[in-house]
Amino acid sequence: MAKDGGVSCLRSSEMMSVGIGGMEPPPLDLDEVHVLAVDDSLVDRIVIERLLRITSCKVTAVDSGWRALEFLGLDNDKASAEFDKLKVDMIITDYCMPGMTGYELLKKIKESSSFRQVPVVIMSSENVLTRIDRCLEEGAEDFLLKPVKLADVKRLRNCLTGDVKLSNGNKRKLPEDSVTVDTSLPPPPPPSSLTLSTNSSDSSPPLSPVEVFSSPLSSPEEVDDVLTSSPEESPIRRQKMGSPGLD
Amino acid sequence: MDTLVAQLQRQFRDYTISLYHQGFLDDQFTELKKLQDECSPDFVAEVVSLFFEDCEKLIGNMARALDQTGNVDFSLVGSSVHQLKGSSSSVGAKRVKGLCVTFKECCDSQNFEGCVRCLQQVDIEYKSLKAKLQDLFNLEQQIVQAGGRIPQVDI
């Protein structure tokens, strides 16, 4: 368990240098997803780490935004060749952290040339619309409401392997949204390749807090807020991570 | 004939259900159980153990802050309450979490008596939960030692 703030670290340069005698080093497992998890709470770090490992991710868990930047080599202005080979497929961070919030960390990651394409997921125990909006506008891939469940992480994991099933769930579901996605909208940006399909075969699980939040009972005013708060943002992006409740 | 294993399993089932029904645990505890398997057979016990250590530490912080008579830093107390609320939520400690909500309100309104009351209640509550979960884990151990399997309990 990541009690010391950092565990496994998947650096391509290290992987390449591992060899036994004269044999070839083991091939890079490019399918293996490496997630950097950031949370100041030890309990939450343990839980998120386990959630990620059980969904076949390699995990590095750190306890602050500063440590995350340090890990990514973004804590100083000097570019390091070593960090160019660092393979991080997703960063998942708590929002409320002392020192540097998850939002501030998100901004720094999106400002960096090496890691701006890495999907950043924000977690928060507080369901604040403006907070969610702010994070999504700043480029967060998704926003998870704590406590995080296995279904949430499985959904993220499926997304990372390009196997996205878009269905009746996203964090900002509009009342008029149905299970189908409007394919006339512009395609999502690379590198993810999305498979857009309805998902009627899965049974619907009990409502999680997120689904309660995004239920069709949201007021018209809220709907307007969603539409006007980020005009540039394609609804596909909001729905990209798929349903929160599917196993 | 009711074997020892069957008796223990029934006890385990009944006790688990009662913990949920009495509001000690919520579905996040169920989520934690999903993360336990043969490779991590003690995951839940380990996480709750860390949680109780967290409780002790944070409650200590709150008590110290509230002890600064005439100079209580309510934002400091509030920040510890926020952390406790977070971790209790993550393990499914429903009553503790509920108390934290009330506690946070007292901090926000700088209600000293309210804070002291909440502190006492949260201290009692986490210790009570700790004892109950210990009983639950003991039952699990007894079932396994008697050669049985821990039943899956659907709430």
Side-chain angles (χ1 to χ4, degrees):
Chain A
M1 293 196 207
K3 289 185 191 174
D4 60 354
V7 187
S8 60
C9 189
L10 202 68
R11 293 173 191 258
S12 342
S13 51
E14 280 174 28
M15 293 279 293
M16 294 304 267
S17 66
V18 169
I20 304 157
M23 285 157 61
E24 286 238 306
L28 259 182
D29 190 345
L30 294 168
D31 288 336
E32 207 157 36
V33 171
H34 178 215
V35 181
L36 175 63
V38 191
D39 202 316
D40 61 311
S41 158
L42 176 59
V43 168
D44 287 358
R45 257 198 326 280
I46 299 297
V47 173
I48 194 70
E49 192 183 356
R50 180 81 186 130
L51 283 166
L52 289 164
R53 286 197 185 187
I54 220 174
T55 48
S56 316
C57 298
K58 287 257 178 177
V59 188
T60 301
V62 297
D63 63 1
S64 70
W66 288 113
R67 279 221 219 268
L69 292 177
E70 196 178 35
F71 178 75
L72 297 169
L74 298 176
D75 57 336
N76 55 44
D77 294 326
K78 289 177 278 180
S80 165
E82 190 190 342
F83 294 105
D84 285 345
K85 298 197 185 86
L86 181 59
K87 180 181 176 287
V88 174
D89 300 295
M90 183 171 78
I91 297 164
I92 183 163
T93 178
D94 189 25
Y95 183 94
C96 264
M97 294 188 293
M100 183 190 296
T101 65
Y103 176 71
E104 287 158 353
L105 176 62
L106 164 70
K107 282 210 289 190
K108 289 214 177 341
I109 291 165
K110 290 302 167 189
E111 280 162 16
S112 82
S113 49
S114 356
F115 295 105
R116 70 158 62 100
Q117 295 289 2
V118 177
V120 180
V121 175
I122 310 283
M123 304 179 281
S124 177
S125 54
E126 280 146 338
N127 205 354
V128 179
L129 215 70
T130 48
R131 177 182 293 186
I132 298 171
D133 268 344
R134 208 154 63 111
C135 291
L136 292 176
E137 278 168 34
E138 200 58 44
E141 284 300 308
D142 208 334
F143 191 99
L144 295 184
L145 205 56
K146 281 183 163 183
V148 180
K149 299 182 187 307
L150 189 56
D152 297 326
V153 178
K154 279 186 178 179
R155 183 168 55 77
L156 294 180
R157 180 73 179 82
N158 288 341
C159 237
L160 287 173
T161 54
D163 175 30
V164 176
K165 291 189 170 87
L166 295 184
S167 178
N168 61 341
N170 69 351
K171 304 304 165 191
R172 302 297 313 281
K173 181 182 160 182
L174 307 178
E176 62 267 22
D177 279 355
S178 64
V179 293
T180 54
V181 175
D182 184 357
T183 52
S184 65
L185 290 163
S192 52
S193 54
L194 300 179
T195 308
L196 308 180
S197 65
T198 59
N199 213 344
S200 50
S201 53
D202 293 77
S203 59
S204 40
L207 282 181
S208 72
V210 172
E211 284 161 297
V212 170
F213 165 67
S214 59
S215 74
L217 296 173
S218 53
S219 66
E221 289 81 21
E222 252 177 60
V223 169
D224 286 344
D225 277 351
V226 170
L227 294 174
T228 55
S229 63
S230 50
E232 269 84 24
E233 193 167 5
S234 154
I236 277 188
R237 188 148 170 273
R238 291 227 168 115
Q239 295 172 42
K240 195 156 87 165
M241 302 306 270
S243 159
L246 296 177
D247 269 14
Chain B
M1 194 170 74
D2 216 8
T3 62
L4 173 65
V5 168
Q7 279 176 38
L8 289 169
Q9 285 172 332
R10 196 176 45 248
Q11 256 187 290
F12 174 80
R13 201 177 261 117
D14 291 345
Y15 197 53
T16 303
I17 291 171
S18 79
L19 288 177
Y20 281 87
H21 284 190
Q22 289 172 47
F24 287 98
L25 299 174
D26 64 27
D27 68 318
Q28 186 59 19
F29 189 79
T30 318
E31 285 291 315
L32 286 192
K33 297 222 94 170
K34 289 183 191 171
L35 306 181
Q36 188 160 279
D37 57 21
E38 304 80 45
C39 306
S40 285
D42 301 313
F43 177 72
V44 179
E46 284 165 6
V47 177
V48 301
S49 165
L50 285 171
F51 166 65
F52 292 130
E53 281 175 27
D54 219 23
C55 286
E56 204 177 316
K57 184 190 84 179
L58 291 169
I59 287 170
N61 293 349
M62 296 169 204
R64 261 188 307 278
L66 286 169
D67 223 12
Q68 310 300 313
T69 333
N71 195 25
V72 174
D73 186 347
F74 285 98
S75 66
L76 197 62
V77 185
S79 129
S80 289
V81 174
H82 175 83
Q83 286 180 63
L84 185 59
K85 179 167 161 260
S87 50
S88 59
S89 163
S90 297
V91 304
K94 189 174 179 181
R95 283 200 190 181
V96 177
K97 178 183 166 187
L99 284 172
C100 287
V101 172
T102 313
F103 200 161
K104 188 72 169 54
E105 286 165 11
C106 291
C107 292
D108 292 343
S109 54
Q110 309 214 344
N111 175 356
F112 180 76
E113 280 83 20
C115 281
V116 171
R117 253 196 321 274
C118 286
L119 180 68
Q120 288 167 348
Q121 285 174 330
V122 102
D123 189 57
I124 292 168
E125 198 56 55
Y126 101 81
K127 286 171 175 164
S128 165
L129 179 63
K130 186 174 176 182
K132 289 182 190 297
L133 287 180
Q134 194 54 62
D135 288 343
L136 194 67
F137 296 140
N138 287 346
L139 266 175
E140 283 186 343
Q141 268 188 332
Q142 285 175 58
I143 292 171
V144 169
Q145 276 164 11
R149 295 195 65 190
I150 299 162
Q152 182 147 330
V153 185
D154 296 319
I155 307 302

